[in-house]
Amino acid sequence: MAHFIQLHILNSYPASNLNRDDTGRPKTLKYGGAERLRISSQSLKRAFRESDIFADNLPQALGKRSIVFMKSLVEGLKAAGLDEAEAQERAESVITAAKLGKPKKEDKSKTEQLVHLGPDELALLDELVEKLSAVEKPDLKGLTILKHKPRAADIAMFGRMLADNPGYDVEAAVQVAHAFTTHRIAVEDDFYTAVDDLKNEDDLAVNGAGFLGVQQYGAGTFYLYICVNADLLLNNLDGDKALAKSTLKALIEAAAKVSPRGKQNSYASHSRAHFILEEIGTEAPRSLAQAFQCPVGRLDNDDDDYMVASIKRLKKLQENYTQAYDERIESVEMNVGNSESLPFAALVEQAQNIIDRI
């Protein structure tokens, strides 16, 4: 049976616009008949992947996702002495033969699909430059740079899909839900001005500010759910237990400490997890989002402390599930508001220990 690591995280953000839609409005969600702020899973995973935490913990095990691998091949071949046309032709033949996507008709320096490559696959792509430039007519029969299990922690966690080469797809071992506020919210408008430093007082009196604008924001206590299939993670990393443990450490630390970049210069809305409930076991995974279907509010009788009320709701639903389904799950928690709770490092160690059991 698969071993699952489930993280239930509560975090509070003041005025912020961490993840916005195409109009600039913070993303929202209707749940339990109430509007909530939302941070998409795509935004969260991007923030994790691009964080210093991932870079520090997984320095040699992060891939690159791009549509411009063709361009880098062309530039490498040109640097090796080939002219523009020949370099482009050979690069196209390589990308096509390796099934990394088809060149865009309007811009052949790019492919039609995003391709996520691991460090070992990127190294093979770099080696091809030397081989392609050394022979007059390179033999590309059977060419592949793709690996079924690339040494890339981000691919192992979040998976990859290659529409033109599905045999090298990787199933994601980590599922990240959209974070949402445990209570109802109202998106607010912030009217702002930018004053022109070079205008004199008479100009300002007549013409006002140099620029006027409105941006929207919200605030709230967010619930985030993350589920890790530890067996699949280890399998995706080809049985490398040391790398699997480093991957779990990076993921849990990033989930607790990293905020999306949206509008950070305007709001400085950096925050850390206030409460983390970590569950480990072979039971079928389940979110605890239902604890907040009825929005947290005054009826919780916690002097309007939404964090305290949210923690109580979360733990109560966990207890109810455990009793109703006779769940056998190990659980530990970190609570910044409780000086006697476990330190964050203990949660990481507990999660890493599961790798040794597999």
Side-chain angles (χ1 to χ4, degrees):
M1 298 179 68
H3 297 78
F4 295 99
I5 302 166
Q6 299 179 86
L7 301 173
H8 308 275
I9 301 173
L10 292 171
N11 199 349
S12 184
Y13 285 101
S16 61
N17 189 345
L18 296 167
N19 187 206
R20 55 193 184 273
D21 62 21
D22 57 341
T23 69
R25 188 177 190 269
K27 288 188 176 181
T28 56
L29 165 75
K30 275 288 184 71
Y31 187 51
E35 186 174 34
R36 323 292 183 94
L37 289 177
R38 174 173 64 92
I39 304 174
S40 72
S41 59
Q42 299 94 322
S43 174
L44 290 164
K45 287 185 284 189
R46 177 68 176 174
F48 298 166
R49 286 185 60 239
E50 294 294 306
S51 68
D52 289 340
I53 291 171
F54 264 43
D56 292 342
N57 284 279
L58 305 164
Q60 305 298 323
L62 292 177
K64 292 291 182 184
R65 186 176 61 181
S66 180
I67 61 173
V68 296
F69 289 124
M70 176 91 73
K71 183 177 180 180
S72 62
L73 265 178
V74 170
E75 293 301 320
L77 290 169
K78 285 169 61 178
L82 275 65
D83 61 39
E84 177 87 33
E86 181 67 16
Q88 182 67 38
E89 181 181 345
R90 293 195 181 194
E92 284 183 30
S93 64
V94 166
I95 294 294
T96 303
K99 296 183 179 180
L100 297 182
K102 299 175 182 177
K104 285 188 174 181
K105 293 181 180 179
E106 65 276 13
D107 185 354
K108 291 194 173 183
S109 68
K110 301 175 182 177
T111 52
E112 292 179 347
Q113 69 173 3
L114 274 169
V115 181
H116 200 163
L117 300 179
D120 42 358
E121 295 167 325
L122 291 168
L124 290 174
L125 194 61
D126 290 338
E127 290 176 13
L128 276 175
V129 172
E130 184 177 346
K131 294 179 181 178
L132 289 171
S133 60
V135 295
E136 186 174 341
K137 292 184 178 181
D139 181 12
L140 301 178
K141 185 177 180 180
L143 172 69
T144 182
I145 65 167
L146 296 172
K147 295 181 177 294
H148 292 288
K149 296 176 182 179
R151 185 180 169 78
D154 47 351
I155 294 176
M157 280 187 282
F158 306 130
R160 77 173 172 193
M161 186 193 74
L162 298 170
D164 292 336
N165 207 353
Y168 291 92
D169 287 353
V170 177
E171 182 182 355
V174 177
Q175 299 172 342
V176 180
H178 292 233
F180 66 93
T181 52
T182 64
H183 49 87
R184 68 176 71 241
I185 57 89
V187 175
E188 301 183 63
D189 295 328
D190 177 24
F191 173 77
Y192 66 94
T193 65
V195 178
D196 188 326
D197 292 339
L198 298 184
K199 279 188 175 183
N200 59 41
E201 292 184 5
D202 292 336
D203 289 333
L204 290 175
V206 176
N207 299 316
F211 181 80
L212 307 176
V214 176
Q215 59 185 6
Q216 295 176 300
Y217 68 94
T221 297
F222 287 79
Y223 168 68
L224 170 62
Y225 172 67
I226 297 176
C227 179
V228 183
N229 184 327
D231 296 72
L232 182 55
L233 177 65
L234 185 58
N235 184 59
N236 284 350
L237 294 172
D238 205 18
D240 189 332
K241 290 193 173 185
L243 181 54
K245 289 181 178 182
S246 296
T247 299
L248 283 174
K249 180 178 184 296
L251 174 66
I252 297 171
E253 188 173 350
K257 298 179 180 180
V258 173
S259 303
R261 296 179 181 177
K263 291 287 185 179
Q264 286 289 9
N265 289 343
S266 298
Y267 294 106
S269 47
H270 302 287
S271 185
R272 291 192 175 188
H274 185 96
F275 177 84
I276 302 176
L277 173 63
E278 179 180 276
E279 299 179 308
I280 297 174
T282 57
E283 296 278 355
R286 80 286 181 270
S287 167
L288 295 177
Q290 189 181 350
F292 311 113
Q293 183 167 336
C294 176
V296 168
R298 294 183 181 276
L299 294 180
D300 289 278
N301 297 319
D302 279 302
D303 297 325
D304 295 334
D305 190 328
Y306 285 4
M307 179 61 73
V308 172
S310 297
I311 292 171
K312 288 183 178 179
R313 292 269 199 99
L314 201 66
K315 295 175 70 172
K316 180 61 177 176
L317 182 59
Q318 183 205 27
E319 292 171 5
N320 291 346
Y321 274 147
T322 299
Q323 183 176 12
Y325 290 98
D326 191 27
E327 291 180 335
R328 288 169 171 77
I329 297 177
E330 300 173 32
S331 66
V332 291
E333 65 182 58
M334 181 205 75
N335 186 347
V336 172
N338 183 353
S339 60
E340 297 181 358
S341 78
L342 287 175
F344 176 74
L347 272 68
V348 174
E349 184 179 359
Q350 192 86 353
Q352 290 177 319
N353 288 341
I354 200 70
I355 297 298
D356 292 323
R357 303 185 204 172
I358 300 174

